[in-house]
Amino acid sequence: MNNVQNEDIEVTTDSAGLRTTLLLDGTWGLAQGRFDTRPSAFPSSVPVPGLVDLAEPSFEKVGLPDDAREAFWYRRAFVLDGPAPERAVLRVGKATFGTKVFVNDIEVGEHLPNFTPGYFDLTTALRADGQENEVVIRVGATRDATPAFITTGWDMELHRSLPGIFDSVELMLTSFPYINLIRTRPNLDEGSVTVVASIVNGPSRRVFAVECAVTEASSGRARGSASSDLLEMGPREERDIEMTVPLDEVRLWSPEDPFLYNVVVNTPGDSANARFGMRTFTFDPDLNRALLNGDIYFLRGAHVIIYRTFEDPDRSTKPWDEDWVRKLYRRFKSMNWNIVRNSIGFPPDMWYRVADEEGILILDEFPLFYPIQESMVAPKSPEGTPPTFGEELQESSERWEEAMRGTPWPEELTSEHLAVEYREWIEARANNASVVAFSSQCECPTPVTGDAVRAVRDRDLQRRPWGNGWGGELDPNDFYDAHWYPEASWASRETPIDTSGLDTTFKTPLVISDPAQAFLDKRVVMSVNHAPNSHGNAILTSEYGWNWLCRDGSPGILSAPIYRRLPKYGWPTDTADQRFYARARLLAAQTEFLRANRTVAGILQQCGLASGQPGAFSPDNFADLDTLDFHPYFVEYMRDALNPVGVMVDFAKSALPTGALAEIPVSVVNDLPQTWQGQVGLRLLSDGEESWKSTRTVRLAGLGQDRVFFYVPIPSIEGRYQLQGHLSDEAGLNVSSWRDFSAADAAAAS
């Protein structure tokens, strides 16, 4: 195959010598300009993958409207030795906003979707035999460059949407019959994998067979092979060819053992490969549980909202640094998270490969966020302005009210148009072991997404489950998307939670007065969704934790009212340190509550990674984006709250009467399949000094739960006290749950 003269281009050729791939990542020239006029020069340099704000020299107001530009133009050159290939395909992983490709001044194609790969046939435009080839890619400068029938990643919590080629660009040089796509389906019961290869024939009729072989990804050890019958394909015909490969040994993929296989598919003219894991995943509506490889698997996780991270001033090139991404996933796993929700959009493809290798489950969510309508939210405050927190958060009333109103669904975005993007998305994730479920949208009360899912979901050979946001459930083995924010009534000026459209299992309205305690009350609405869970699908609490803080300790825009009112309930919030402490303690208590009640299949905290800049709506919990260190209080309390064997002091009162004997339950949960045995205890403390304790021995079955009751003598002296529930065992487990309360006279305590 052709040799590439450019030293900075990574070139790989398959073992059969049939396909050569040129990775065109690196430094590209960049210019701004109009849509219909190619620039005469490309004065800036920009990394690909990356975003336009990384260009040097830089451009002003990137991501914001500017009369000086409609588009950005990228340029790169390379040279091929030898004859032109029979088939040349350029793949642009993801680019915003809209992708049009020119090769040697020839327009070769346009791909309008912003978040799925674009493929461009360069065969007739390439120059070979040592001649230079020029690739020019045009992208829109803002979301307005995208037609209304294409998704743009609208997110009311973004301050700007950045343009650029933010995923890899590669050129595949090969021959016919061309392998367009490989999809896999693990068959655990049969010990085999089904491989479906989409084959495109050339200009002549051909008779041939397709062959495939499976090896272990790490060792290369052969595990099975298969071939198709002889095929007769007509000129330019495209066909899906299915083969089943028996494996002589099966090792399952899981977060605890992320073991991967590789499948290579060959035709007489082309070779392609894909990695996959032997795993299955679904939801059981009767058990209200997730099933990984046929077994119950409790989900504990958080969000990655990568497009909000893109606007973080500390972001730089981190999202394209594989070492940084790998460290991020390992940080997540160190917090006892086993699943990530890619919320409102997709990171670069490298993130999925790393997740496959590191062993993290992914709930992949399409970037659609046209949320609650004005009639569904709380009325404006009497003064018509957002609450602020001293001088640390100042945001315009217009920005606040825009967020609270929500945004209507664009009429031009029909299910037929959306199905095209969904199909490209499904095919891009065809083989990732980490991607175990899809979510069609976030908080969109529309039937459009459900209709689009039904039109294309069979394209996923693995039949992974779907969530449909606020568009209503789909199939019995899909999940019901629950967003749990009992503190939201504080952020909505202490108005009652509307019961319309809530999950019928948890429908009791409640006015939240004290967010430090009220979420522990069983009456709190646990599953807020515009569409009811009328068919009893398994419930996934895919969002919780409204009390956000920015990286500097200032409240997020939506959580500012909470920190203004917490001091009334014994939580000082004058300093950043006090706020970080309150954030961690209250979030840990919520986490314990959602786990201990066993009413949901899993919990995902908002956010694991987002933006931490002052003025963000829903920041993450990192203290430093370079080192990926979480805030210390977050680690101290949330790691215990998420421990697979967990504990909760099931106590929901702000005060108890002095001298009383209080019955305090302590709940214990075991997310592991094996039996756990150890000590369950409860301590009473004042200013860090222990005044009472009691301990019991508990044997807890795998996946089980229990409640141990303790009778605590409340001191006769008024003051602030703490209860510490704790677990320990011979293996060194030591986790705690904390609750604060005041001892007061009987009248005050009531």
Side-chain angles (χ1 to χ4, degrees):
M1 191 50 68
N2 298 276
N3 295 318
V4 183
Q5 293 182 5
N6 305 63
E7 294 182 358
D8 60 339
I9 294 178
E10 180 182 324
V11 182
T12 57
T13 302
D14 70 277
S15 58
L18 297 174
R19 177 183 288 201
T20 296
T21 300
L22 286 59
L23 185 63
L24 299 181
D25 291 356
T27 301
W28 290 53
L30 186 67
Q32 66 180 13
R34 317 304 296 181
F35 266 116
D36 55 359
T37 305
R38 172 191 157 141
S40 58
F42 298 81
S44 291
S45 297
V46 68
V48 172
L51 291 166
V52 170
D53 67 341
L54 294 171
E56 293 292 343
S58 61
F59 300 89
E60 295 182 355
K61 298 168 60 177
V62 173
L64 300 174
D66 188 331
D67 293 338
R69 61 173 172 254
E70 295 176 324
F72 286 99
W73 295 75
Y74 287 73
R75 179 191 181 276
R76 172 139 202 186
F78 61 92
V79 175
L80 294 182
D81 284 339
E86 189 177 28
R87 177 75 166 170
V89 177
L90 184 75
R91 182 184 188 272
V92 180
K94 300 180 196 70
T96 47
F97 294 94
T99 307
K100 181 170 278 192
V101 175
F102 303 81
V103 175
N104 300 324
D105 292 325
I106 299 171
E107 180 181 330
V108 297
E110 185 173 22
H111 183 251
L112 292 176
N114 297 297
F115 309 108
T116 51
Y119 293 87
F120 304 88
D121 186 352
L122 273 55
T123 307
T124 59
L126 279 182
R127 297 168 181 161
D129 299 321
Q131 299 182 74
E132 184 179 79
N133 290 275
E134 179 193 60
V135 178
V136 173
I137 299 178
R138 188 202 73 190
V139 299
T142 65
R143 294 176 51 254
D144 294 338
T146 303
F149 59 84
I150 296 293
T151 56
T152 64
W154 163 254
D155 179 352
M156 67 185 183
E157 297 186 22
L158 283 177
H159 296 267
R160 58 181 179 150
S161 297
L162 295 169
I165 302 173
F166 67 98
D167 212 337
S168 289
V169 178
E170 57 185 7
L171 177 60
M172 293 163 283
L173 308 174
T174 186
S175 301
F176 292 108
Y178 171 68
I179 302 165
N180 188 48
L181 176 68
I182 297 172
R183 293 177 292 150
T184 56
R185 182 183 66 239
N187 309 307
L188 302 191
D189 292 341
E190 293 81 14
S192 65
V193 59
T194 296
V195 180
V196 174
S198 298
I199 308 297
V200 180
N201 193 26
S204 303
R205 184 174 300 275
R206 295 194 66 164
V207 177
F208 61 95
V210 180
E211 299 178 341
C212 68
V214 174
T215 60
E216 295 180 359
S218 57
S219 69
R221 185 178 296 113
R223 285 305 179 196
S225 62
S227 62
S228 70
D229 296 331
L230 283 178
L231 310 171
E232 182 177 354
M233 293 186 68
R236 307 299 182 188
E237 181 184 353
E238 182 171 358
R239 190 187 304 177
D240 283 349
I241 307 301
E242 180 174 317
M243 297 161 284
T244 296
V245 183
L247 303 181
D248 60 14
E249 184 176 324
V250 173
R251 184 168 166 182
L252 301 184
W253 185 97
S254 70
E256 293 72 31
D257 183 19
F259 189 82
L260 294 166
Y261 292 89
N262 187 62
V263 58
V264 176
V265 178
N266 289 321
T267 72
D270 193 16
S271 179
N273 70 288
R275 292 194 320 174
F276 67 94
M278 291 296 288
R279 67 100 186 91
T280 60
F281 187 88
T282 191
F283 287 91
D284 187 310
D286 296 325
L287 297 174
N288 191 25
R289 297 287 181 263
L291 303 180
L292 176 64
N293 300 328
D295 296 325
I296 292 174
Y297 196 87
F298 286 101
L299 305 175
R300 305 178 305 273
H303 296 201
V304 166
I305 315 183
I306 190 64
Y307 303 148
R308 297 182 190 174
T309 306
F310 282 170
E311 69 173 10
D312 192 299
D314 296 329
R315 175 260 298 166
S316 185
T317 60
K318 296 177 182 66
W320 301 278
D321 180 342
E322 181 173 325
D323 291 339
W324 186 86
V325 174
R326 196 174 296 278
K327 184 176 181 178
L328 174 73
Y329 284 143
R330 291 178 180 177
R331 283 282 196 265
F332 285 172
K333 294 187 76 170
S334 76
M335 292 299 300
N336 295 308
W337 285 327
N338 54 30
I339 186 169
V340 165
R341 173 186 171 195
N342 284 337
S343 183
I344 323 177
F346 316 132
D349 289 345
M350 174 264 292
W351 288 56
Y352 295 90
R353 175 175 57 80
V354 174
D356 291 344
E357 296 166 355
E358 291 296 322
I360 193 93
L361 305 178
I362 290 178
L363 166 58
D364 218 27
E365 182 175 87
F366 202 79
L368 285 168
F369 185 37
Y370 296 97
I372 52 180
Q373 304 303 301
E374 189 167 11
S375 61
M376 297 173 60
V377 303
K380 297 180 183 180
S381 59
E383 64 274 19
T385 59
T388 59
F389 193 87
E391 296 180 355
E392 296 177 351
L393 178 65
Q394 295 295 332
E395 189 71 16
S396 71
S397 59
E398 291 81 6
R399 180 69 172 148
W400 171 269
E401 297 300 345
E402 176 189 4
M404 295 310 291
R405 281 196 301 271
T407 306
W409 182 270
E411 294 181 2
E412 297 87 349
L413 186 54
T414 66
S415 60
E416 290 78 15
H417 286 115
L418 192 54
V420 173
E421 297 190 59
Y422 279 4
R423 177 177 170 131
E424 292 182 359
W425 169 32
I426 292 170
E427 291 179 350
R429 306 288 184 270
N431 306 299
N432 289 110
S434 56
V435 178
V436 294
F438 299 107
S439 177
S440 67
Q441 49 125 308
C442 178
E443 295 185 355
C444 304
T446 175
V448 173
T449 54
D451 291 341
V453 170
R454 281 183 280 268
V456 300
R457 70 180 302 163
D458 286 345
R459 194 66 182 161
D460 176 32
L461 288 185
Q462 299 180 16
R463 296 293 296 174
R464 285 167 281 197
W466 284 76
N468 192 29
W470 290 7
E473 71 276 6
L474 299 169
D475 286 357
N477 291 331
D478 292 332
F479 66 89
Y480 180 73
D481 201 353
H483 296 180
W484 189 64
Y485 291 125
E487 321 100 304
S489 69
W490 265 38
S492 299
R493 301 157 182 86
E494 295 187 296
T495 57
I497 297 175
D498 186 359
T499 59
S500 61
L502 300 182
D503 172 23
T504 54
T505 307
F506 311 103
K507 61 184 180 181
T508 305
L510 181 68
V511 178
I512 306 301
S513 57
D514 176 3
Q517 302 293 338
F519 57 74
L520 298 176
D521 192 306
K522 305 296 189 296
R523 297 178 296 115
V524 172
V525 175
M526 290 183 61
S527 185
V528 181
N529 190 313
H530 179 68
N533 187 14
S534 54
H535 292 91
N537 285 58
I539 300 170
L540 182 63
T541 301
S542 56
E543 290 190 21
Y544 76 98
W546 189 282
N547 56 338
W548 299 286
L549 289 173
C550 299
R551 214 154 282 146
D552 65 355
S554 62
I557 290 176
L558 298 178
S559 58
I562 293 174
Y563 291 94
R564 290 166 60 88
R565 295 168 184 167
L566 275 175
K568 178 181 176 182
Y569 300 95
W571 296 86
T573 58
D574 292 334
T575 68
D577 186 73
Q578 290 170 334
R579 295 191 290 274
F580 282 130
Y581 178 76
R583 158 72 168 165
R585 284 286 313 278
L586 301 182
L587 187 61
Q590 285 187 318
T591 302
E592 295 163 5
F593 172 67
L594 288 168
R595 293 185 63 206
N597 282 275
R598 289 299 207 220
T599 52
V600 295
I603 57 172
L604 292 96
Q605 183 247 315
Q606 168 104 323
C607 301
L609 176 70
S611 173
Q613 63 179 332
F617 280 74
S618 47
D620 56 43
N621 297 283
F622 284 109
D624 188 303
L625 210 55
D626 287 324
T627 63
L628 289 173
D629 290 326
F630 289 111
H631 289 289
Y633 290 132
F634 181 80
V635 175
E636 180 178 357
Y637 295 105
M638 279 295 287
R639 182 179 285 164
D640 279 6
L642 291 159
N643 198 76
V645 181
V647 61
M648 177 184 81
V649 178
D650 196 353
F651 176 73
K653 295 182 178 181
S654 298
L656 289 171
T658 55
L661 186 65
E663 181 184 71
I664 307 293
V666 174
S667 294
V668 188
V669 294
N670 183 7
D671 287 358
L672 303 176
Q674 61 267 25
T675 297
W676 177 83
Q677 181 169 315
Q679 302 296 308
V680 180
L682 186 65
R683 304 168 66 208
L684 178 66
L685 302 99
S686 175
D687 295 326
E689 296 295 325
E690 179 185 292
S691 62
W692 174 91
K693 70 174 182 179
S694 180
T695 303
R696 314 274 181 81
T697 298
V698 170
R699 181 179 175 86
L700 194 59
L703 309 176
Q705 64 185 120
D706 199 0
R707 277 159 63 85
V708 180
F709 290 85
F710 293 90
Y711 294 89
V712 181
I714 305 303
S716 57
I717 301 174
E718 293 187 353
R720 292 287 290 174
Y721 295 89
Q722 280 189 320
L723 292 167
Q724 180 196 14
H726 55 92
L727 300 181
S728 60
D729 62 19
E730 293 182 352
L733 176 71
N734 188 6
V735 298
S736 295
S737 168
W738 297 85
R739 297 293 181 268
D740 290 51
F741 71 96
S742 295
D745 61 58
S750 62

